Amino acid sequence: MARTTETPPPQPTPSSPWRARLAAALDSDLFYSFKRSKLVVAAAVLALGIVGAAFLAPLVAPHNPHDLATLDLINANIPPAWESQGDHRFLLGTDDQGRDIFSTILYGTRSSLLIGISSVLLATLLGVSLGLWAGYAGGRIDSFVMRLADVQLTFPAILTALLIDGVALAIFRNYRLEGGKFWILVVAIGLAYWVQYARTVRGVTLVERDKEYVQAARLIGLRPAKIMFQHILPNVLSPVLVIATINLALAIITEATLSFLGVGLPPTEPSLGTMIQVGNKYLFSGSWWMVAFPGLTLALLALAVNLLGDWLRDALNPKLR
Amino acid sequence: MLAFAIRRLLEALVVLLVVALIAFTLFRFVGDPVSQMVGQDASVEDRETIRRELGLNDPILVQFARFVGNAARFDFGISYQVKQPVVRLIAERLPATLELALAAALFAIALGIPMGVYTGIHRDSWLSKVFLTVSLVGISMPTFLIGILLIYVFSVWLNILPSFGRGEVVDLGFWRSGLLTASGLKALILPAITLGLFQTTLVTRLVRAEMLEVLRTDYIKFARARGLPERAINFGHALRNTLVPVVTVIGLQLGAIIAFAIITETVFQWPGMGLMFIQAVQSADIPVMAAYLLLVALFFIIINFIVDLIYVRIDPRIRVYRREA
Amino acid sequence: MLTRVIFRSLATAAAIMLATAAADARALKWARTADALTLDPHAQNEGPTHNLMHQIYEPLLIRDAAGKIIPTLAVSWKITTDPKVWEFKLRQGVKFHNGNPFNADDVVFSLKRAQQPTSDMKGLLTSIEDVIKVDDHTVHVKTKGPNPLLPNSLTNLFMMDREWSEANNTITVQDYKGKKDNFAVRNANGTGPYTVVSRQQDIETVLKRNEAYWGKAEVPLGISDIIYTAVKADPTRVAALLAGNVDFVQDLPVQDIERVEKAAGLKVNFGPENRTIFFGMDVSSPELKTSNIKGKNPFADKRVRQAINMSIDREGIKRAVMRGQSVPAGVIAPPFVNGYTKALDALPKVDIAKAKDLLKDAGYPDGFQITLHCPNDRYINDEGICQASASMLAKIGIKVNLVAQPRGPHFTLIQKTPPETEFYMVGWGVPTYDSQYIFSFLYHTRGGSEGSWNATRYSNADLDAAIKSLSSEIDIAKRNATIARIWSVVHGETIYIPLHHQMLAYGMKKDLDIPVSPENTVFMKFVK
């Protein structure tokens, strides 16, 4: 059954359905449990802050680290502004090419988030569609999809992503990869994580398939696709949402890992992982800020998303109520 | 039971074949094997001869069959970069990765189980909250960050542990072990912690969940009513029931450990299969990538197979459930 | 069984410890960025491979740390009455590690082996027509034309044992049939001061002092055991040195020099290297595949090349990327090389406005895009230099797409025919100390054994003839004049964009004294 709020909206006014919906949401169990846990609220605020700043990067960032023409080597290796040799123009210092660390963190987080969200969308689209189809159609299609899932599940997702990335790099090795690296990463990470969606959705679809409303829809003569996406899908949304949040955290970490290993975003358009890899070279020679700030950002971001995912899972889990 | 085992075995073989197909496609169609092996001055006739000798002009199915046959005998061809048989490279580096994986798993168990038990028994103590937060950090922080942090603290700042390599290794013939020397063991500590932290979190949470569930059951209440000391209850009865799922989960996680070893080995320059794989990806060394893929798949499949068999033995419900599905 | 094995291994370990504890015994842990690519002495003509080879195998003559040529397996050499024949007198009483005596047969075999099509050393031996054994300790080398500089080309030409090679089927340099690898790739039998105890590619190579070495009385040979590891990651290498896990780091990262100098018990030796780092460009293809300009090749226009040349801030790179450890260059020949002049090395003044004007004149007012290929584990801060250059080129409108990869695949792009790169970084060392080496590999039209590293597709038949004439010109004045003429032609054309002459920094324990050699080749036998 679709999840609906238990309490009716306090003042239903036909002229502002949105206001009614918002009031209903604020009154729901979900939001209550959200408010209760201070940790989760803090996590949400933190996540929102980082995400917001990252997406507004072109407006917020004092410099544009991707524009190679604005980099000046004379600004390389400057410590954070509060240190004795710091420069107020570069709040968190600069890296070995003269890039402002603060700006690069903003832009890098933006890249990481874009890749993360895009890959989650891809995984969700692919996984949910395949899961619905397998569960609804049954028989050979079901076997095939589940067999495919089994094969992929023998490998940890990071390995799958690494492999797809490595093969893509080998194929496109010497071509101009104008923004191509971005899409390679989205596809690699997306394809690595679709399986969990497919399995879960398939399970729910199998159960729903035999319910009366689906049989009724079939009797009326609705097309299978319509049945799957309009009728069954809403019932599947809540577990999908939980999976998606966890997936987002994993996707961000996977992208950071691939970049750190040197097969993700390049140093000319770095993500947080790339920044850490580059900064690692200078960690021991005293330029600690090149690793510390991106590292901290990455850790906080992952932590925040994980906390939110945890809370969401507990909140939506009927067993724990 | 036998029927089940045979069915699982067949399924495993199918999976292995599919992976072999992927590896073969990689091997044959990404880049040109001939130009990789031959010097740049080789004439056109030379290249044709090699093509024929390597059987690259045969029908695809024949080539695939040959590939699978070779793979079954652990013949994966020659590495493009190093110009040596891939199987020899793997054999050289396998002990390093296996020792690291084992150490990480042991660490996860040694730390995770006590933490899980404690947080299960003392649900709301502040120490439990600390443990749970630490375990959350373990799951959130990317492996490489943990590694870098550990290196910075213990190697650079405190200078008590080495930051790279395996230390002194003892050559036992086919196996080079770092476990028999002091420096080898010291070099193992930081990488094992880095690799095992994620598993520690999983183990802690699992043991905690299991403990919470078990401690609510009737027979535990009975034991308490009988007057058994808490200690006996917690460790004698409750813990024992949590161990089997924990061990099987660890078994399944061995696969993840091997995969995450890639990252740990890169950070610590640990000369194992993971480092070899990432170097192969960076230099487009396809034979090594394909071989790693196959071997790792084989390993995972075997582990999953064993774990499945164990599960079926201890939980008869699964047998029935499966037949229905 | 296991206990026996363990006991044996522990006994060996104990024996090594005891041996090194004895006087005159000392183990050295040696680390570099990259490992030797192979143990086959003729398969690769490159630095790290040669450096390891020099401990195990020996050539007829070597260059020491001062750059002077000293006799090794040959005791003397001279041109005979026939100006096309060199005579080498071989050292007597030398044995290979397996006990076989070293004689003229081995020299003939080795030189011929190095000339095979699959040998990377053949480019150095193009002037040789034949090698003839005169007697057991005398060899005649017949050259196509008189070549007074032949010995300069032999400083990295290692001598192999003919009987051993034939017995182990390593006569051909590279058996590319693929199924079995060449025995010599993993096994070695040389005449050198160290023997191979074990070799694990990219992990560790262990060498042991050759107690039967012919030169034992003449060189310090203080190091009894060498453990050579390749540690690619900069911070790891330095951390190992600082922690004492490694005694000698041959390529100290520039950002850590200060730290190592300050550390107790460690020191840094500096010195210039006989190597220049530069960019090459495809100057003659009709269109560039990786650029957005269709129908013409921007690099073909000299004005574009000059614009690039004057937009690179070499001083800035020296200061920020190399931390002071480089010598900005205006020519792709290091100062050690015959033919180098200070005039050639004059730096073009950085002038962004003029560079933009030149581009506009050449027909590229909006600049263009191009892919730059860069190694990331060969030269000091190679990737950092490329990134800095990319941002400098961005200022004049050239948008660079940087592709950085390990040296294996990177060098393949350059060496393939046709080349697979249009804009690339390379560092060229000159072991012969003569400009001909540069001309032959980098400017001569590619074909046969010439121009194997010339991926610029530059081809000037007139110049080719002049370059070839250098091998057989006996008149030194005339030869140098030709060299000067060739330089003025190619330098004016700006075929390559020179960046800097590399400087070396060796990090080591205070009680070691390993001087920096311009070849970046360390001979462990000279270490006390």
Side-chain angles (χ1 to χ4, degrees), chain C residues 331-380:
Chain C
V331 66
I332 65 170
F336 295 89
V337 168
N338 175 35
Y340 167 90
T341 68
K342 275 220 153 60
L344 280 175
D345 205 12
L347 291 181
K349 205 162 88 83
V350 177
D351 192 336
I352 302 290
K354 184 144 176 254
K356 281 208 196 128
D357 282 338
L358 277 173
L359 277 182
K360 215 176 343 160
D361 289 341
Y364 306 99
D366 302 317
F368 56 90
Q369 295 172 15
I370 186 72
T371 296
L372 171 63
H373 288 107
C374 207
N376 61 12
D377 63 353
R378 177 65 185 102
Y379 312 114
I380 302 179

Side-chain angles (χ1 to χ4, degrees), chain A residues 153-211:
Chain A
L153 272 185
T154 43
F155 296 95
I158 178 82
L159 198 55
T160 315
L162 242 181
L163 209 72
I164 300 178
D165 192 25
V167 171
L169 283 181
I171 298 177
F172 298 112
R173 175 138 228 121
N174 298 313
Y175 292 76
R176 235 171 20 133
L177 288 178
E178 202 58 49
K181 272 256 173 91
F182 178 89
W183 291 110
I184 291 178
L185 284 171
V186 169
V187 169
I189 301 177
L191 287 183
Y193 286 107
W194 67 271
V195 183
Q196 193 57 15
Y197 296 96
R199 277 212 161 167
T200 313
V201 168
R202 170 198 178 259
V204 174
T205 311
L206 278 178
V207 171
E208 297 293 307
R209 189 175 61 169
D210 299 324
K211 290 215 177 133

